Amino acid sequence: MTRLVNGTGKLLPFVGMMVAMLTQSGSMVVIKVAMIDDINKYVMVVYTFALSTILLLPFALFLHRSERPPLTFSALCSFFLLAFFGSSGTITAYVGIELSSPTLASALLNLVPAITFVLALIFRMEEVHWRNSSSQAKVLGTIVSVTGALVVILYKGPLIFKAYWSNFSSHILKVSPQLNWILGGIFCVADSLFTSMWYIYQSSVSKKYPAVTVIVFFQLLSSTMLCGVFALIAVRDPTEWKLNFDIGLIGILYQAIVATVIRYLLCTWCVLKAGPLFCAMFKPVGIIFTVFMGAIFLADDFSLGSLIGAVIIVVGFYGVLWGKSREENEIAKGVENLESSCHNVPLLQNRNR
């Protein structure tokens, strides 16, 4: 029974993060399609956060009522800071996707493991012992994952398959061939930085305030206010705020229900159960989903470089997971040895007497 519980404890965060990455990849494609349909990106962010807040309100009110810690001013400030990191990452991601493509945005999100690992070292949430194989695996796995992402961006190679419906899709979506990859890449890197900061701080907040739905609700509420103020300054045309029954509205619904509420809950719960580095390591998997979704829904051609990069990313991904798993096993064995030695000390002392 103990083995089953331990196995389930490791399996559920794994499944949760895989689902979260799938929803995130779908989100990038939906965002691109919606913005091509001329919806304002900042307005879309505000409506998404606002609808997500409303949807999550009943859960925040009624779940964990007996176990919910008191809402202090310090807790509210923590939620607001989390919202700042999250909303800043969302805005920079939207801008980056608009200027480039979902594939590039997903690829550059693979900087998150490296940034998170460095931040975790700075805040002493992770340790590196260079002679330890688990530490070596985590460092090398992070480097390999980032290298794979760079391969996807810099090397295309021959096409493995071409989207024959690309002309039709391009006509429908009005895809512009001139994409500002450099500026878009800078915004996507900024998204990775904010996401890494969110993971690190989320881990600390979740330990102090373990009510997941309450944390996510106040994050979304604060994000709505922050992005609302920003959008009111950036978007002066009132007609930009008008919603029609089109792809833009569908995009907002998907973003609010699937990509925000469900993904936020999954990520927050997984950070609480498995830690920030474990969750950040799933970012490389997102590019695989995005490449295939981009080929299907945006008529992006799938090249050899994308395949090679995806394989490299997966190798690095599992390398880090192996290192993390080995480190946890070593810690568990150390605790067991310490407990056994503590039990043996009184007996030895009695014998010496």
Side-chain angles (χ1 to χ4, degrees):
M1 179 63 71
T2 303
R3 291 182 179 179
L4 179 61
V5 172
N6 292 337
T8 305
K10 293 181 179 179
L11 177 62
L12 290 180
F14 177 85
V15 174
M17 286 307 302
M18 290 294 285
V19 174
M21 290 303 100
L22 181 61
T23 61
Q24 185 181 63
S25 299
S27 169
M28 291 183 178
V29 175
V30 169
I31 290 170
K32 185 68 176 182
V33 173
M35 287 190 294
I36 290 173
D37 199 51
D38 293 333
I39 187 172
N40 186 281
K41 52 186 173 294
Y42 303 127
V43 172
M44 187 177 182
V45 170
V46 175
Y47 282 140
T48 297
F49 279 132
L51 180 57
S52 302
T53 304
I54 295 172
L55 292 174
L56 198 62
L57 178 59
F59 299 96
L61 288 176
F62 298 108
L63 288 180
H64 310 293
R65 294 184 65 179
S66 59
E67 305 172 359
R68 186 185 306 163
L71 272 176
T72 62
F73 179 75
S74 176
L76 292 175
C77 290
S78 298
F79 301 155
F80 187 83
L81 186 56
L82 274 176
F84 173 77
F85 293 144
S87 58
S88 299
T90 300
I91 290 176
T92 53
Y94 274 55
V95 176
I97 291 172
E98 183 184 41
L99 294 173
S100 57
S101 73
T103 301
L104 178 64
S106 181
L108 290 179
L109 270 178
N110 291 282
L111 294 174
V112 169
I115 298 173
T116 303
F117 188 67
V118 172
L119 291 176
L121 289 176
I122 294 174
F123 292 105
R124 298 182 179 180
M125 301 175 69
E126 293 285 339
E127 293 183 356
V128 173
H129 303 284
W130 295 107
R131 296 182 180 180
N132 193 308
S133 59
S134 60
S135 294
Q136 293 172 359
K138 288 192 293 183
V139 173
L140 291 176
T142 300
I143 295 173
V144 170
S145 295
V146 175
T147 302
L150 294 176
V151 170
V152 173
I153 299 170
L154 301 177
Y155 174 69
K156 289 190 175 182
L159 294 178
I160 296 178
F161 73 85
K162 182 177 178 61
Y164 292 102
W165 58 91
S166 58
N167 292 333
F168 173 77
S169 299
S170 298
H171 175 71
I172 296 296
L173 299 176
K174 298 178 287 185
V175 176
S176 173
Q178 298 178 348
L179 301 174
N180 195 332
W181 289 89
I182 297 177
L183 187 58
I186 292 174
F187 277 101
C188 291
V189 170
D191 174 33
S192 298
L193 175 61
F194 285 119
T195 302
S196 300
M197 296 170 72
W198 183 89
Y199 273 122
I200 292 294
Y201 194 57
Q202 176 70 45
S203 177
S204 174
V205 173
S206 298
K207 292 177 181 178
K208 297 177 182 177
Y209 200 95
V212 175
T213 53
V214 177
I215 294 176
V216 176
F217 171 77
F218 279 102
Q219 280 188 71
L220 294 175
L221 179 62
S222 301
S223 296
T224 303
M225 294 186 291
L226 287 170
C227 294
V229 172
F230 179 82
L232 288 173
I233 297 173
V235 183
R236 301 296 181 89
D237 187 0
T239 59
E240 296 279 355
W241 293 85
K242 184 180 179 181
L243 292 178
N244 300 312
F245 189 76
D246 53 12
I247 297 178
L249 179 60
I250 296 174
I252 290 173
L253 293 175
Y254 177 89
Q255 289 296 103
I257 299 171
V258 179
T260 302
V261 173
I262 295 178
R263 186 171 67 87
Y264 265 53
L265 288 173
L266 282 173
C267 288
T268 304
W269 181 83
C270 290
V271 167
L272 178 63
K273 294 295 182 181
L277 182 62
F278 176 87
C279 297
M281 283 302 121
F282 281 81
K283 289 295 180 182
V285 181
I287 190 174
I288 301 175
F289 294 142
T290 307
V291 166
F292 283 101
M293 287 185 179
I296 295 172
F297 297 106
L298 293 174
D300 290 342
D301 297 328
F302 190 68
S303 64
L304 179 63
S306 298
L307 177 61
I308 295 175
V311 171
I312 295 174
I313 288 169
V314 171
V315 171
F317 164 70
Y318 283 110
V320 176
L321 283 187
W322 180 86
K324 188 68 176 175
S325 176
R326 185 178 178 86
E327 182 184 57
E328 291 176 354
N329 291 334
E330 291 174 354
I331 294 174
K333 289 180 180 179
V335 172
E336 291 178 359
N337 294 334
L338 181 61
E339 290 178 350
S340 62
S341 63
C342 290
H343 286 300
N344 292 332
V345 167
L347 180 61
L348 292 174
Q349 289 178 346
N350 290 333
R351 287 182 178 178
N352 291 333
R353 290 177 183 176

